[in-house]
Amino acid sequence: MGQGLKMGRGKKPATYEDIEALPDGWVGELLEDELLASPRPAVGHGHCAFLLGVELGGPFFLGRGGPGGWWFLDEPELHLGRDVLVPDLAGWRRERMPQPPSAREPFVPLAPDWVCEVLSPSTARVDRHRKLPVYFREGVGHAWLIDPLARTLEVFRRDAGVWARTTTHAGDVRVRAEPFEAVELGLGALWLAP
């Protein structure tokens, strides 16, 4: 995402009303009582998130050429305690969430089993150092950090009280990355020319 705004830190705690007051086209998150606001992401960011959803959706959501058993949402608004986060992609195992979230609800209160943050220069630090600890606290089992400019995928697993980076993939390789190792994914499709 592009340049962000920070509001609320050291002042009165930010609220959901602060998110609602943002200009059209901005995404707001509440993190440790601070409002973080970012404009819509660059094209390469959106392309990467969209194609990853396509790659995972067939085998893991629809069960086409894969095991199925997952619900996926693009940019879901997650209400996790006092924090409101919007990962680029999130997935829930159907055994934990047998029905998809209600189409009428604007947010999901149940922490996902997997999250993916597509890194932008202006959001990478927040995604990596502030949001990952919240996902861990809430019991998310796996997290992916994708950098479309560096063309990398970092895979993390919740392990013994910490995020354990299980692997980093780079370039146009084909990978089997947990928790979706049942199907090989081609990373080359995720990258646009700089």
Side-chain angles (χ1 to χ4, degrees):
M1 292 188 180
Q3 269 313 53
L5 300 174
K6 294 181 184 178
M7 299 175 228
R9 193 162 207 142
K11 300 178 181 154
K12 71 177 182 107
T15 66
Y16 198 77
E17 288 76 29
D18 295 316
I19 291 176
E20 292 175 327
L22 289 170
D24 288 342
W26 284 71
V27 175
E29 299 176 289
L30 297 176
L31 188 57
E32 299 169 341
D33 294 327
E34 178 182 357
L35 174 64
L36 303 177
S38 301
R40 301 301 311 157
V43 171
H45 182 285
H47 172 84
C48 180
F50 169 76
L51 273 221
L52 180 59
V54 168
E55 287 281 320
L56 295 175
F60 295 98
F61 178 76
L62 298 173
R64 293 184 185 152
W70 286 81
W71 300 113
F72 293 105
L73 289 174
D74 291 331
E75 296 186 355
E77 184 175 294
L78 305 175
H79 287 212
L80 306 173
R82 293 174 56 123
D83 296 313
V84 176
L85 301 181
V86 182
D88 292 293
L89 291 164
W92 291 260
R93 294 179 189 272
R94 291 187 186 184
E95 64 242 19
R96 273 192 62 237
M97 187 166 72
Q99 299 296 319
S102 169
R104 297 175 194 264
E105 294 296 327
F107 65 88
V108 181
L110 179 66
D113 294 292
W114 167 82
V115 294
C116 178
E117 294 286 0
V118 179
L119 305 177
S120 295
S122 63
T123 63
R125 188 168 178 75
V126 168
D127 290 340
R128 187 179 296 281
H129 299 291
R130 296 190 63 196
K131 291 173 75 174
L132 277 181
V134 174
Y135 295 140
F136 187 87
R137 177 193 79 206
E138 295 298 319
V140 174
H142 291 86
W144 289 9
L145 297 178
I146 297 181
D147 187 331
L149 297 177
R151 298 181 176 206
T152 59
L153 162 64
E154 294 174 79
V155 178
F156 295 87
R157 177 188 334 117
R158 182 185 178 84
D159 188 32
V162 297
W163 281 119
R165 183 171 37 213
T166 61
T167 188
T168 299
H169 301 285
D172 296 344
V173 297
R174 299 194 61 77
V175 303
R176 291 184 182 271
E178 58 181 273
F180 305 113
E181 62 270 26
V183 173
E184 190 175 71
L185 303 173
L187 296 185
L190 304 182
W191 321 131
L192 283 179

